[in-house]
Amino acid sequence: MKIRIGKNGFTLIEILITVVLLEIIAITTTTILFQLNKINIKTSKTYEINQVAHSYMEEIKCNHLTIDDKNYSIEELQNKEINFFKDQYQIILTVSNDSYNGLYNVILQIKDKNNNICILESYINFLEETCYDELSIEEKDLNQ
């Protein structure tokens, strides 16, 4: 009596090749997901720092800025560099009067604890009650 062995099943080499391919796919997918998470965190921080910069700029456009529970007008901030801290942000505010009467150049720099910087510059004309905004973002990582 002869016993027949069928070819139903996989060889050891086929199983090993499948496992190696699945590991390569898993490692690649994990790496991509970590990078996407890193990008998402950086984008969230950039958005948050931009929101802080815009809220301070809106206060300045309303001609009052509150620093340490004291209100300042744009005339009081003129030709000065104000440096203060609010929550986890360092804020540097520079206001200069242009050659035209009533036209102010406002530069607002916001830096967080990770040294991400947002620079918001605006020209505000208080005589005509109009303003022109220009936003530029510079991200600097001092740890590199």
Side-chain angles (χ1 to χ4, degrees), residues 53-113:
H54 278 284
S55 68
Y56 275 103
M57 190 59 75
E58 290 300 318
E59 284 187 39
I60 294 169
K61 287 180 191 175
C62 294
N63 204 15
H64 68 76
L65 175 66
T66 305
I67 302 172
D68 298 330
D69 298 327
K70 184 177 178 193
N71 288 331
Y72 294 93
S73 69
I74 196 132
E75 289 84 15
E76 293 172 316
L77 300 172
Q78 181 178 331
N79 298 324
K80 294 180 183 172
E81 184 176 286
I82 312 293
N83 190 351
F84 61 98
F85 291 90
K86 181 74 174 181
D87 298 328
Q88 73 256 17
Y89 301 108
Q90 177 187 10
I91 301 166
I92 302 169
L93 173 66
T94 307
V95 178
S96 60
N97 192 350
D98 219 340
S99 59
Y100 301 106
N101 190 19
L103 184 63
Y104 294 93
N105 181 14
V106 179
I107 301 172
L108 187 62
Q109 298 178 35
I110 310 263
K111 185 189 298 186
D112 68 359
K113 61 186 176 185

Side-chain angles (χ1 to χ4, degrees), residues 21 25 63 83 95 101 109 116 121 134 140 142:
L21 288 175
I25 292 171
N63 204 15
N83 190 351
V95 178
N101 190 19
Q109 298 178 35
N116 295 317
E121 181 173 5
E134 183 177 315
K140 296 181 182 178
L142 300 179

Side-chain angles (χ1 to χ4, degrees), residues 28-43:
T28 304
T29 304
T30 304
T31 304
I32 290 171
L33 289 177
F34 278 126
Q35 290 298 323
L36 287 174
N37 187 35
K38 200 173 177 181
I39 291 169
N40 185 30
I41 290 170
K42 190 166 187 85
T43 304

Side-chain angles (χ1 to χ4, degrees), residues 118-139:
C118 174
I119 300 173
L120 182 62
E121 181 173 5
S122 181
Y123 291 92
I124 303 173
N125 186 350
F126 280 105
L127 294 178
E128 297 179 11
E129 298 182 10
T130 60
C131 63
Y132 172 74
D133 286 331
E134 183 177 315
L135 174 66
S136 63
I137 301 170
E138 293 180 19
E139 293 181 16

